[in-house]
């Protein structure tokens, strides 16, 4: 009981701390863009989108008491299905829509963020470049010593993110080509925890959202692709995916305002805050 | 008693009104607990009933391959709490005996105050400190990732130590006080009285401390989440990673809504609830036995 209460309070404190700057950043836009609008907006789909959607929803609802926005997960498939059937107004996907989906439901798609994932090691690790095959074998637990990939004679310590994490999804899809990491990998539950773990351990390897790359980590060059925000944007770094919002037909009213809000400077801030890069299109 | 009768009269009269409110409060608390049990068991039932390798009672957690086994986490919870108790229980007993008998005045007060203070430290502080202080030591000394069974178990034993020491002290002190004069007249030291006379009679107190400590250790989430590494596997050594039921629930609830992974969480929750309910019922039974009440033994 005590422990759960503590976690609850800690969580609450973190939430408050986290949302303060977001609220401050978003309120001006939020009050102007949603003037005179009211009603409900339901959003579901990709889990990677949730932090951005929630931050935006909170800052909108804070200044517009007549607007209610709900954000649910479910995955890309659920997002497409629910928006197509009219259960939600915005269905999020972590992949481009298939032609069949666009035809069947008459969906319009809005790419708003690039989710790039950098493979990282401790800065003290001499290995700074890996091939995709080597990476796959490392995460499958087949290569277990750094000397097999040109490093020192030390065991490789694997770190991964928890099930359902968008970062993990992108990593496994784009870097491991839909492979999975070994059961023996250590699991951490945020980009921050990953940074701490890798920053401490000279033999560890893991991955973070590319927006979280800093001096405490070394981004590994993968098949010659250098992980950086610029490279993720211009397409030369490919462990990335786009995050999309989808609507049935041309968005109207509140839905339209929400999408424009995501593309506004305040929206960009939420996107960067979640560790993604704003596409800046629109 | 008689002398302060005028004072207690009002309280007694007020006490006559209380039963209804008290009963209401107790009823609501009971109802809440019953609903919690019913909810969790109802949600867990599908996973309990689902047979075969994809069900909750498998040894592999591989959601992408349709395997949602939580047995490694159950084993992790049991291994971790037992190993933490293995260290914490003897230590708690030793600390308790020492403060009760042999410790010189200032040290005794200091130790007692320290132990009381330890109960107030939030687990996240232990976890945070251990991530930066303990895990690098283990990594340097024993190899591996540093976040492992050993790290979590050391910190967990620190967490349950004060709880157990306080229960032990509460149980042993009245008995020691009663035997002290007679024992010392026979030429025994306090430590000897404690060791030869009090402890043999206090098996139940010691067991109750053990059980409550176990409940606390098995229920803690943050320390294993931060320190145990969380790999869904059976650890082969103290330096290997393990995942507890609690940490598992914290990891999966972050992202999943619906689906087999989500449902298996209720199985995990039901298991935890059952483990803790059994343990606390056992502990209460033991603590409630007449032979264990201070003043009624002998």
């Amino acid at each position: 009981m005590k422990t759960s209460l503590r976690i609850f309070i800690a969580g609450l404190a973190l939430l408050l701390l986290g949302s303060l700057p977001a609220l401050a950043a978003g309120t001006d836009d939020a009050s102007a863009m949603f003037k005179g609008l009211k009603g409900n907006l339901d959003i579901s789909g990709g889990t990677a989108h949730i932090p951005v959607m929630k931050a935006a929803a909170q800052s909108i609802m804070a200044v517009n008491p007549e607007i209610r926005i709900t954000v649910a997960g479910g995955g890309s498939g659920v997002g497409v299905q629910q928006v197509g059937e009219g259960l939600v107004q915005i269905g999020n996907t972590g992949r481009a829509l298939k032609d069949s989906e666009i035809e069947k439901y008459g969906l319009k798609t809005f790419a708003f963020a690039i989710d790039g994932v950098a493979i990282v090691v401790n800065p003290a690790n001499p290995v700074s470049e890996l091939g995709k095959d080597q990476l796959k074998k490392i995460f499958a637990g087949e290569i277990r010593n750094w000397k097999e990939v040109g490093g020192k004679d030390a065991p490789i310590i694997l770190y991964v993110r928890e099930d359902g994490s968008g970062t993990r999804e992108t990593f496994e899809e784009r870097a491991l080509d839909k492979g999975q990491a070994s059961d023996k990998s250590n699991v951490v539950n945020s980009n921050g925890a990953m940074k701490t773990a890798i920053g401490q351990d000279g033999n560890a390897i893991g991955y973070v959202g590319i927006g979280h790359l800093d001096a405490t980590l070394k981004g590994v060059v993968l098949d010659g692709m250098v992980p950086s925000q610029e490279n993720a944007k211009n397409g030369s770094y490919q462990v990335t995916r786009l995050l999309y919002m989808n609507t049935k037909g041309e968005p109207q009213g509140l839905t339209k305002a929400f999408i424009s809000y995501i593309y506004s400077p305040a929206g960009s801030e939420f996107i960067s805050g979640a560790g993604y890069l704003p596409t800046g299109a629109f | 008693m008689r002398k302060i009768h005028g004072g207690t009269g009002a309280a007694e009269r007020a006490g006559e009104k209380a039963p209804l409110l008290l009963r209401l409060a107790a009823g609501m608390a009971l109802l809440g607990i019953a609903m919690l049990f019913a909810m969790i068991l109802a949600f867990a039932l599908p996973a309990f009933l689902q047979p075969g390798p994809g069900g909750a009672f498998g040894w592999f957690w591989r959601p992408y391959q349709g395997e949602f086994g939580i047995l490694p986490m159950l084993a992790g919870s049991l291994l971790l709490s037992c190993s933490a108790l293995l260290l914490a229980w003897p230590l708690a007993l030793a600390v308790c005996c020492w403060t009760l008998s042999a410790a010189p005045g200032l040290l005794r007060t200091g130790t007692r105050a320290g132990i009381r203070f330890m109960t107030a430290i939030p687990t996240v502080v232990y976890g945070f400190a251990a991530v930066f202080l303990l895990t690098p030591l283990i990594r340097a000394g024993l190899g591996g990732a540093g976040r492992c069974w050993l790290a979590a178990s050391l910190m967990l034993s620190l967490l349950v130590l004060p709880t157990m020491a306080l229960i032990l002290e509460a149980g042993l002190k009245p008995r020691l006080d009663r035997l002290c004069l007679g024992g010392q007249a026979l030429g025994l030291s306090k430590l000897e009285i404690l060791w030869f006379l009090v402890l043999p009679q206090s098996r139940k107190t010691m067991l109750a401390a053990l059980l409550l400590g176990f409940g606390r250790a098995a229920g803690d989430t943050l320390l294993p989440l931060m320190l145990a590494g969380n790999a869904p596997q059976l650890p082969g050594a103290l330096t290997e990673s393990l995942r507890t039921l609690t940490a598992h629930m914290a990891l999966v609830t972050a992202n999943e809504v619906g689906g087999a992974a989500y449902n298996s969480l209720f199985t995990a929750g039901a298991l935890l609830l059952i483990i803790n309910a059994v343990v606390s019922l056992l502990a209460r039974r033991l603590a409630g036995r007449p032979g264990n009440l201070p003043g009624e033994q002998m």
Side-chain angles (χ1 to χ4, degrees):
Chain A
M1 268 317 235
K2 263 188 190 164
T3 322
S4 58
L5 191 69
R6 278 178 200 144
I7 292 175
F8 176 74
I9 291 171
L12 211 66
L14 280 176
L15 232 128
L16 283 173
L17 281 175
S19 55
L20 278 178
L23 282 176
T27 29
D28 290 346
D29 292 329
S31 58
M33 293 175 85
F34 291 87
K35 213 169 178 90
L37 290 171
K38 56 182 173 182
N40 290 336
L41 175 63
D42 296 317
I43 302 171
S44 76
T47 45
H49 307 59
I50 292 178
V52 181
M53 299 288 133
K54 273 200 173 148
Q58 274 164 8
S59 79
I60 292 167
M61 289 191 291
V63 288
N64 299 282
E66 306 239 304
I67 297 176
R68 267 185 48 82
I69 303 174
T70 67
V71 181
S76 297
V78 171
V80 172
Q81 189 208 349
Q82 293 199 336
V83 71
E85 291 174 356
L87 298 171
V88 296
Q89 285 77 54
I90 297 177
N92 292 321
T93 54
R95 55 171 171 80
L97 292 176
K98 297 169 194 158
D99 288 341
S100 62
E101 290 168 341
I102 296 177
E103 269 172 42
K104 185 175 173 194
Y105 293 124
L107 299 179
K108 283 232 24 152
T109 190
F110 301 88
F112 67 96
I114 304 166
D115 177 13
V117 174
I119 292 110
V120 291
V121 294
N122 190 284
N125 194 324
V127 175
S128 52
E129 201 160 340
L130 288 170
K132 232 179 187 180
D133 284 334
Q134 288 175 316
L135 187 77
K136 282 185 204 169
K137 279 185 183 159
I138 286 174
F139 273 90
E142 287 164 29
I143 296 180
R144 293 182 184 179
N145 196 303
W146 281 110
K147 74 178 175 199
E148 291 176 61
V149 289
K152 53 192 176 199
D153 182 10
I156 298 177
I157 310 290
L158 298 175
Y159 278 94
V160 299
R161 289 287 303 278
E162 78 281 11
D163 305 305
S165 141
T167 308
R168 175 172 174 161
E169 230 171 82
T170 307
F171 172 78
E172 292 185 343
E173 205 178 288
R174 307 292 315 220
L176 301 184
D177 295 332
K178 303 199 171 171
Q180 271 113 46
S182 151
D183 284 347
K184 301 205 174 298
S185 323
N186 293 297
V187 183
V188 290
N189 62 352
S190 67
N191 277 307
M194 182 68 89
K195 272 163 93 168
T196 313
I198 308 288
Q200 275 190 345
D201 189 344
N203 300 325
I205 185 168
Y207 46 85
V208 292
I210 222 161
H212 292 272
L213 211 51
D214 63 18
T216 61
L217 305 167
K218 180 159 81 171
V220 175
V221 178
L222 182 70
D223 272 350
M225 302 183 294
V226 181
S228 71
Q229 304 220 9
E230 299 75 56
N231 289 351
K233 247 184 184 164
N234 66 28
S236 62
Y237 183 74
Q238 290 179 347
V239 188
T240 58
R241 61 172 177 177
L242 286 172
L243 302 182
Y244 302 87
M245 296 178 282
N246 304 290
T247 59
K248 192 174 171 100
E250 204 58 53
Q252 305 289 336
L254 185 54
T255 313
K256 187 177 176 193
F258 184 85
I259 291 175
S260 327
Y261 185 56
I262 294 291
Y263 284 109
S264 74
S268 300
E269 210 152 298
F270 301 139
I271 294 168
S272 324
Y276 310 133
L277 310 171
T279 53
F282 216 42
Chain B
M1 270 302 206
R2 291 276 158 198
K3 275 183 191 163
I4 49 164
H5 188 77
T8 53
E12 268 168 30
R13 268 197 304 282
E16 279 162 22
K17 267 191 190 167
L20 182 69
L21 272 177
L22 274 180
R23 257 181 269 163
L24 203 69
M28 273 171 69
L30 267 179
L31 192 72
I33 294 170
M35 275 165 66
L36 180 72
F37 264 86
M39 260 281 288
I40 298 222
L41 288 178
F43 273 106
L45 209 58
F48 269 108
L49 294 177
Q50 185 188 346
F57 295 99
W59 286 101
F60 298 102
W61 176 262
R62 288 168 186 156
Y64 296 101
Q65 283 134 46
E67 293 189 73
F68 299 95
I70 55 167
L71 287 184
M73 286 60 127
L74 179 63
S77 273
L78 294 176
L79 284 174
L80 184 60
S81 8
C82 289
S83 59
L85 285 183
L86 215 59
L87 186 68
W89 186 77
L91 212 58
L93 193 61
V95 167
C96 181
C97 286
W98 185 68
T99 52
L100 280 180
S101 61
L106 201 62
L107 258 177
R108 178 173 58 214
T109 350
T111 313
R112 276 188 172 158
I115 282 185
R116 284 197 162 69
F117 174 70
M118 276 170 76
T119 58
I121 300 178
T123 48
V124 65
V125 174
Y126 282 133
F128 198 68
V131 162
F132 288 98
L133 301 173
L134 181 64
T135 57
L137 275 181
I138 293 180
R139 189 161 49 234
L142 301 169
R147 299 180 186 219
C148 59
W149 183 3
L150 180 65
S153 135
L154 284 176
M155 292 317 286
L156 210 52
S157 61
L158 206 57
L159 179 77
V160 298
L161 177 78
T163 315
M164 293 201 288
L166 288 179
I167 295 172
L168 285 171
E169 196 191 85
L172 299 184
K173 191 167 185 303
R175 265 171 250 183
L176 179 67
D177 288 346
R178 206 167 312 108
L179 293 175
C180 208
L181 213 58
Q184 279 178 331
L186 290 173
L188 295 171
S189 74
K190 259 191 164 181
L191 189 59
E192 284 168 331
I193 302 171
L194 203 58
W195 189 254
F196 292 111
L197 299 176
V198 177
L199 285 189
Q201 288 172 8
S202 310
R203 293 221 175 86
K204 280 170 195 158
T205 304
M206 294 195 280
L207 198 58
L210 188 71
L211 288 175
L212 284 172
F214 180 85
R216 183 102 210 266
D220 192 71
T221 309
L222 219 48
L223 285 180
L225 185 65
M226 292 174 87
L227 297 174
N230 299 319
Q233 59 164 2
L234 267 182
L238 276 171
T239 51
E240 282 187 20
S241 173
L242 64 71
R243 188 190 288 193
T244 64
L245 286 171
T246 46
H248 180 64
M249 291 171 75
L251 283 172
V252 179
T253 37
N255 298 300
E256 299 285 332
V257 184
Y262 190 69
N263 290 339
S264 85
L265 291 186
F266 286 96
T267 322
L271 286 175
L272 264 179
L273 210 55
I274 291 169
I275 292 176
N276 268 351
V278 167
V279 164
S280 87
L281 281 178
L282 274 178
R284 286 185 65 106
R285 254 184 86 101
L286 286 172
R289 287 260 179 83
N292 204 47
L293 283 178
E296 287 189 37
Q297 96 277 28
M298 293 178 73

